[in-house]
């Protein structure tokens, strides 16, 4: 088992921030600093170099970080093998998962609740970022399992399908566009509100436009907003048309607050995929959570 100081060190090393590590660990920054200092005294060397308001790993810190990642991997494998040999062995486990905005807000909450009810000895931390940043967090070992929109074609990452979803054009119910059907070329003269760069929703729109030989830069984009909820709130008070995941606007469409604007010959579908670093696909309990989530959305959980 990794010691508590080593677990704290891993958090700081992954984020290169004592503040962010303390927030992730739900403890004070002084408590985090104390644990790191104890390790530095134990190893008789500095583990972080302080550069003004930022920090970076020293050579000793980088070596410790690499070895602890390997140790954590072995610990997970040991728990999995011991659980298979002894059904009564049920150690407390903490899953660190990341998901893109739409998935975090609208897809995962019910399945996470069901999963934790079934596994009361487990805890789960969910990081909510856009798809590009979730992929980066996986590659940086900040998370062990991610769920993103689309496939980013990274060679050392495996992709496992979860769900498919539509991206739809919506506006406020009082908008003059409400209920209309547009041609694709109409988008060149329609004020738009879109997600930020790196968003899976934006990537789907960009790919669909490319099939019609239209560049995203040619559209009259009035605003770009980070996050689905921010974009929904803007649409409520503005005359722009926005492209949002259907999962994110089901309630607003059902209540009549938003209106879907059809666009001829412009299907926008995207896949939600689990992502894992190659070689970690059999790590428990992440494999168990992946399988549970897939069963849940196929009605078999």
């Amino acid at each position: 088992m990794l010691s508590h100081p080593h677990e704290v060190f891993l958090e700081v090393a992954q984020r290169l921030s004592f503040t962010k590590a303390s927030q992730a660990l739900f403890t004070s920054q002084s408590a985090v600093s104390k644990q790191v200092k104890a390790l530095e005294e134990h190893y008789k060397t500095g583990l972080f170099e302080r550069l003004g308001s930022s920090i970076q790993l020293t050579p000793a810190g980088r070596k410790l970080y690499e070895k602890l990642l390997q140790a954590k991997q072995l610990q997970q494998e040991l728990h999995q093998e011991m659980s298979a040999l002894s059904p009564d062995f049920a150690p407390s486990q903490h899953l660190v998962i990341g998901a893109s905005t739409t998935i975090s807000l609208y897809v995962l909450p019910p399945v996470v609740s069901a999963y934790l009810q079934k596994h009361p000895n487990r805890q789960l931390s969910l990081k909510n970022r856009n798809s590009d940043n979730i992929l980066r967090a996986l590659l940086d070992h900040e998370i062990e399992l991610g769920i993103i929109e689309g496939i980013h074609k990274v060679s050392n990452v495996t992709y496992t399908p979860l769900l498919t979803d539509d991206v739809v054009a919506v506006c406020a119910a009082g908008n003059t566009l409400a209920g209309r059907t547009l041609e694709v070329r109409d988008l060149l003269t329609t004020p738009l509100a879109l997600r930020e760069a790196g968003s899976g929703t934006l990537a789907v729109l960009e790919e669909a436009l490319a099939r019609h030989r239209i560049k995203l830069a040619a559209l009259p984009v009035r605003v770009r907003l980070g996050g689905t909820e921010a974009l929904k709130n803007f649409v409520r008070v503005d005359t722009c048309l926005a492209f949002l995941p259907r999962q994110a606007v089901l309630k607003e469409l059902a209540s009549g607050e938003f209106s879907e604007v059809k666009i001829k010959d412009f299907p926008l579908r995207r896949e939600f995929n689990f992502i894992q670093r190659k070689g970690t696909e059999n790590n428990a309990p992440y494999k168990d959570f992946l399988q549970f989530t897939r069963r849940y959305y196929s009605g078999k959980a």
Side-chain angles (χ1 to χ4, degrees):
M1 294 288 294
L2 296 184
S3 70
H4 180 59
H6 285 112
E7 293 279 9
V8 171
F9 168 82
L10 273 175
E11 289 289 341
V12 180
Q14 287 168 346
R15 291 165 175 76
L16 292 179
S17 168
F18 284 85
T19 301
K20 292 179 180 178
S22 66
Q23 292 170 349
L25 293 166
F26 302 100
T27 188
S28 67
Q29 187 171 333
S30 62
V32 170
S33 298
K34 182 178 179 181
Q35 296 296 334
V36 171
K37 184 178 179 180
L39 282 181
E40 290 178 327
E41 291 175 352
H42 175 75
Y43 290 112
K44 309 300 181 187
T45 186
L47 300 174
F48 294 99
E49 184 178 358
R50 280 75 174 176
L51 302 172
S53 60
S54 63
I55 61 172
Q56 66 180 25
L57 289 164
T58 64
R62 285 195 296 272
K63 178 58 67 176
L64 179 60
Y65 179 56
E66 293 169 1
K67 295 299 183 182
L68 287 178
L69 287 177
Q70 295 174 17
K72 196 159 190 173
Q73 174 77 21
L74 288 172
Q75 179 176 285
Q76 291 171 347
E77 293 174 2
L78 175 62
H79 284 169
Q80 181 178 2
E81 292 172 9
M82 292 303 292
S83 294
L85 292 171
S86 175
D88 293 333
F89 177 68
S92 177
Q93 295 174 313
H94 184 193
L95 285 72
V96 183
I97 294 170
S100 60
T101 306
T102 301
I103 299 164
S104 294
L105 293 177
Y106 308 105
V107 175
L108 280 184
V111 72
V112 168
S113 176
Y115 180 79
L116 293 178
Q117 288 179 38
K118 185 175 180 179
H119 301 282
N121 63 318
R122 294 178 183 174
Q123 296 177 318
L124 189 146
S125 294
L126 176 63
K127 301 180 185 299
N128 173 11
R129 303 173 186 171
N130 70 31
S131 291
D132 280 359
N133 288 329
I134 290 299
L135 178 60
R136 190 174 299 113
L138 181 79
L139 296 175
D140 290 343
H141 293 260
E142 187 178 336
I143 61 175
E144 294 301 316
L145 177 68
I147 313 174
I148 63 172
E149 302 158 31
I151 293 178
H152 292 227
K153 298 180 181 179
V154 178
S155 60
N156 59 335
V157 171
T158 60
Y159 297 83
T160 305
L162 173 58
L163 290 171
T164 58
D165 185 34
D166 292 327
V167 173
V168 295
V170 300
C171 65
N175 195 313
T176 57
L177 294 171
R180 290 181 55 189
T181 298
L182 304 180
E183 302 286 343
V184 177
R185 304 299 297 183
D186 290 333
L187 295 176
L188 293 169
T189 56
T190 303
L192 300 175
L194 301 179
R195 285 287 305 277
E196 81 286 0
S199 157
T201 302
L202 185 67
V204 169
L205 174 62
E206 198 164 8
E207 290 170 6
L209 289 168
R211 292 193 291 269
H212 289 266
R213 298 178 182 174
I214 297 176
K215 293 185 178 180
L216 188 65
L219 302 183
V221 180
R222 290 185 56 189
V223 64
R224 288 177 181 263
L225 295 169
T228 302
E229 286 299 315
L231 192 54
K232 286 167 62 175
N233 287 333
F234 185 81
V235 170
R236 287 185 173 99
V237 298
D238 195 82
T239 57
C240 280
L241 183 71
F243 287 90
L244 285 160
R246 186 177 295 279
Q247 289 278 347
V249 292
L250 287 174
K251 291 181 180 178
E252 290 81 2
L253 290 174
S255 69
E257 182 182 9
F258 287 174
S259 175
E260 181 175 351
V261 178
K262 302 287 187 181
I263 302 174
K264 291 181 181 177
D265 302 318
F266 200 62
L268 297 173
R269 292 189 65 78
R270 52 40 180 314
E271 290 185 351
F272 296 152
N273 290 287
F274 284 101
I275 54 172
Q276 296 169 280
R277 295 184 302 277
K278 285 188 176 176
T280 69
E281 296 90 345
N282 290 321
N283 286 358
Y286 294 97
K287 181 179 179 181
D288 181 47
F289 179 80
L290 184 155
Q291 293 174 338
F292 183 92
T293 305
R294 295 188 76 195
R295 290 196 304 269
Y296 183 94
Y297 278 106
S298 65
K300 299 177 183 177

